DNA sequence: TTGACGTCGAATGTATACACTCCTCGTGTA
DNA sequence: TACACGAGGAGTGTATACATTCGACGTCAA
């Protein structure tokens, strides 16, 4: 993230507002007022404006026609669509990587992360180091998109992936104990391997297909988990902003 | 566009800066300073900041780590990638439209625009009403993406389409007299028809394929036109910001 | 010569006062 | 009752002064 640098009021407000939005303190459609937030956070309107502007960039806020911001409304269908979108974009990235030919050293780097991911799995099917897996998985996907050689695509993927819940594993893995979810990680890892293999052998179409399936499984898992445990929406910070 | 409303200094600065950037007044990599621009435009720093913030949203400016903005660098390869990306996204939209089944009235609306597009073509191969075609074409693509039924996807498509030159016909058609370009419009219109037909008959895979081919032709045309007429980069406003 | 250190300045961060706009609500009149 | 009009207030737009930060540059000493 970029907000590890200097601590300014703008960054503090940005993080605080993002936290509150994802936490569900402001339901979708809520209008945010500069003056009110300035009082709440004990700072002036200026950094509040700046922070809201950046949250609009991130897609968490919408600008109103005549000034002001409202919290963006996300439905459950939106979340599923975001995952599908991510699959399409990553699919394009790996297709391009295969078609254009990824540099050997970059490919090796991906292989290394892949091996590290393997190390997260223990002997039992449900024995997985979630914490490590999450981080490595994010790293894996980042390196993968970089293989495409398209700065434009990479940038848009980063954007789309930041949409709430575009990567369900990132926020579900550490917080739930649902078996179906744990076991799906084994499947995911299989796909990771197949993906890298397809890129290496320059099979663009196949790589794209696998990436899409990969996202589709993530999508289906989230769908399943939520439908089986509707109370998760209240429990998991970040899911609380859902409208429906 | 949204900037037809009330005329504020922020909007004035936004439009002026965007114009200058696209015009090539600020080459990619140029850092923009608040004070300097405030003096130039005879307004205070506040609306300048606001305008730059929005230009960062649009993807024309990049934020620097410790504050400030630089003009984003676009290479010719970036432009081609942006077109490819647009093809992928629109492809996804029409696939979803076909798979999920688009509402009949919305589909009819698309058919209407399709017919209007037909009316832009005269009897001779090169006899095309560019002005009308451009507007209708943009409208056609907008309606098409709306058929997907995915608000998230539609939003990201609008974003990606706003990237400079993601829709080459929009800025080339009215300004050039290149024959190959004129005739390609006939091909494009063929694809439009096939696209709508595929959606109507619920052939998602086929619809997606056509949309991608559609963008690929746009890409190839732009590539061809620019390589044959490198001086266009200087002549056409908006192309001037290219770095290489 | 090179490196550490301190000063200065340029540029952004922040606070705040004031201006403007739009919406709401009440009042008046037909 | 219905509608036009106008005042008031809520909220954002804008200007500006001041604070803060970071980097450039020069100085000094090893």
């Amino acid at each position: 993230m970029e907000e590890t640098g200097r601590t300014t009021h703008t960054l503090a407000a940005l993080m605080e507002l993002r936290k509150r939005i994802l936490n569900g303190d402001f339901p979708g459609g809520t209008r945010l007022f500069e003056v009110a937030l300035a009082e709440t956070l004990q700072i002036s309107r200026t950094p509040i404006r700046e922070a809201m502007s950046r949250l609009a960039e991130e897609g968490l806020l919408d600008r109103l026609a005549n000034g002001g911001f409202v919290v963006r409304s996300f439905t459950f269908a939106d979340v599923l669509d975001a995952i599908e979108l991510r699959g399409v974009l990553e699919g394009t990235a790996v297709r391009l990587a295969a078609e254009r030919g990824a540099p050997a050293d970059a490919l090796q780097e991906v292989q290394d992360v892949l091996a590290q991911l393997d190390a997260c799995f223990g002997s039992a099917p449900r024995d997985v180091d979630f914490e490590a897996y999450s981080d490595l998985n994010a790293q894996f996907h980042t390196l993968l998109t970089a293989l495409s050689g398209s700065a434009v695509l990479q940038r848009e993927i980063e954007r789309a992936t930041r949409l709430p819940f575009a990567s369900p594993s990132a926020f579900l893995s550490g917080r739930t104990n649902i078996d179906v979810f744990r076991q799906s990680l084994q499947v995911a890892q299989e796909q990771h391997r197949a993906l890298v293999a397809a890129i290496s052998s320059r099979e663009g179409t196949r790589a794209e297909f696998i990436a899409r399936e990969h996202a589709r499984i993530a999508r289906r898992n989230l769908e399943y988990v939520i439908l089986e445990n509707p109370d998760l929406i209240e429990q998991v910070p970040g899911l609380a902003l859902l409208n429906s």
Side-chain angles (χ1 to χ4, degrees), chain A residues 22-24 165 171 175 232-241:
Chain A
L22 292 176
N23 199 40
F165 332 123
F171 70 95
R175 302 190 180 86
L232 265 185
I233 291 184
E234 318 267 309
Q235 291 168 16
V236 178
L239 267 180
L241 67 76

Side-chain angles (χ1 to χ4, degrees), chain A residues 12-241:
Chain A
L14 174 62
M15 290 188 291
E16 183 62 25
L17 288 179
R18 182 163 46 207
K19 195 184 87 183
R20 296 195 184 189
I21 292 169
L22 292 176
N23 199 40
D25 295 359
F26 307 117
T30 305
R31 182 165 176 187
L32 297 184
F33 297 108
E34 296 177 3
V35 274
L37 293 174
E39 273 183 30
T40 303
L41 302 185
Q42 294 287 317
I43 55 179
S44 79
R45 283 171 53 209
T46 314
I48 297 283
R49 281 173 80 89
E50 181 74 18
M52 291 203 289
S53 189
R54 296 202 192 188
L55 287 170
E57 273 185 60
E58 288 183 23
L60 286 182
L61 295 182
D62 283 330
R63 286 182 192 274
L64 274 81
N66 279 335
F69 298 86
V70 293
V71 179
R72 181 169 170 189
S73 290
F74 285 99
T75 66
F76 190 53
D78 286 336
V79 172
L80 298 182
D81 281 347
I83 299 175
E84 166 111 19
L85 174 61
R86 176 173 142 262
V88 167
L89 291 174
E90 290 189 347
T92 304
V94 294
R95 174 171 60 80
L96 291 183
E99 287 174 0
R100 299 179 178 179
D105 53 344
L107 206 52
Q108 183 56 50
E109 210 174 343
V110 174
Q111 303 261 24
D112 291 345
V113 178
L114 194 61
Q116 288 180 264
L117 275 168
D118 273 328
C120 295
F121 293 92
S123 50
R126 300 177 192 170
D127 180 14
V128 184
D129 181 352
F130 279 147
E131 206 68 31
Y133 182 89
S134 263
D135 289 350
L136 285 169
N137 184 53
Q139 196 182 338
F140 178 79
H141 282 268
T142 301
L143 288 174
L144 213 54
T145 60
L147 291 181
S148 70
S150 166
V152 169
L153 178 60
Q154 199 176 345
R155 186 178 176 127
E156 294 303 314
I157 289 178
E158 268 169 36
R159 254 194 66 80
T161 303
R162 234 179 317 222
L163 283 177
F165 332 123
S167 322
S169 67
F171 70 95
L172 274 186
S173 64
R175 302 190 180 86
T176 73
N177 289 318
I178 296 146
D179 286 344
V180 63
F181 191 76
R182 290 185 178 223
Q183 296 188 12
S184 75
L185 293 186
Q186 301 271 9
V187 179
Q189 180 66 353
E190 275 306 320
Q191 291 179 317
H192 288 165
R193 264 191 289 274
L195 209 41
V196 174
I199 294 174
S200 298
S201 58
R202 313 288 294 263
E203 301 171 86
T205 305
R206 175 161 170 72
E208 179 169 22
F209 177 80
I210 296 171
R212 286 197 181 189
E213 280 305 306
H214 189 57
R216 183 157 295 161
I217 287 182
R219 183 190 149 120
R220 195 153 34 201
N221 280 335
L222 179 63
E223 204 167 5
Y224 177 80
V225 166
I226 295 296
L227 290 182
E228 291 294 309
N229 308 61
D231 48 321
L232 265 185
I233 291 184
E234 318 267 309
Q235 291 168 16
V236 178
L239 267 180
L241 67 76

